[in-house]
C-alpha cells in the first residue's frame, strides 16, 4: 500500500524458498483494511500454489512489492497440518 497513491493496487511477487513463484495484483477488497483507512480497502490478495507445496518440508514464503522491491511479508511455514 502506497499512501501517496491510495487507490492504486500493488503488484506483488511471491517467492517460495528463494524462487519466484508468481506475480499477482493486490486488489481484493478486505473490510479490515477499509476500516483501518488503508486506501479503498482493495489491497488484499490470494494465491493457491499449484503444484501444492511439499507437505514434508518447511518453506520460506516471501511477499515482495514489485514497485520498490521491498519485502512486505516473510513467513516460515510447515504444511503438514493443512
Amino acid at each position: 500500500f502506497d499512501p501517496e497513491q491510495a487507490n492504486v493496487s500493488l503488484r506483488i511477487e511471491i517467492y517460495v524458498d528463494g524462487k519466484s513463484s508468481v506475480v499477482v495484483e493486490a486488489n481484493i477488497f478486505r473490510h479490515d483494511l477499509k476500516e483501518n483507512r488503508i486506501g479503498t480497502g482493495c489491497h488484499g490478495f490470494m494465491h493457491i500454489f499449484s503444484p501444492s507445496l511439499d507437505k514434508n518440508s518447511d518453506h520460506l514464503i516471501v511477499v515482495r512489492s514489485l514497485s520498490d522491491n521491498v519485502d512486505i511479508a516473510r513467513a516460515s511455514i510447515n504444511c503438514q497440518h493443512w
Side-chain angles (χ1 to χ4, degrees), residues 13-16 19-23 47 49-51 53:
E13 189 165 16
I14 301 172
Y15 290 81
V16 178
K19 297 177 186 163
S20 177
S21 175
V22 68
V23 173
H47 176 67
F49 292 99
S50 180
L53 300 177

Side-chain angles (χ1 to χ4, degrees), residues 9-79:
S9 300
L10 287 180
R11 289 182 46 79
I12 59 173
E13 189 165 16
I14 301 172
Y15 290 81
V16 178
D17 301 327
K19 297 177 186 163
S20 177
S21 175
V22 68
V23 173
V24 298
E25 185 132 354
N27 62 0
I28 297 173
F29 178 77
R30 286 185 32 193
H31 195 266
D32 61 321
L33 296 178
K34 179 71 173 172
E35 284 182 342
N36 288 291
R37 298 188 176 121
I38 308 296
T40 61
C42 294
H43 301 288
F45 66 92
M46 183 174 78
H47 176 67
I48 298 171
F49 292 99
S50 180
S52 299
L53 300 177
D54 180 2
K55 292 186 179 196
N56 296 314
S57 299
D58 292 338
H59 300 282
L60 176 64
I61 308 297
V62 176
V63 177
R64 183 172 295 154
S65 167
L66 286 179
S67 63
D68 55 12
N69 208 34
V70 170
D71 291 355
I72 298 169
R74 176 180 293 262
S76 182
I77 64 169
N78 184 297
C79 302

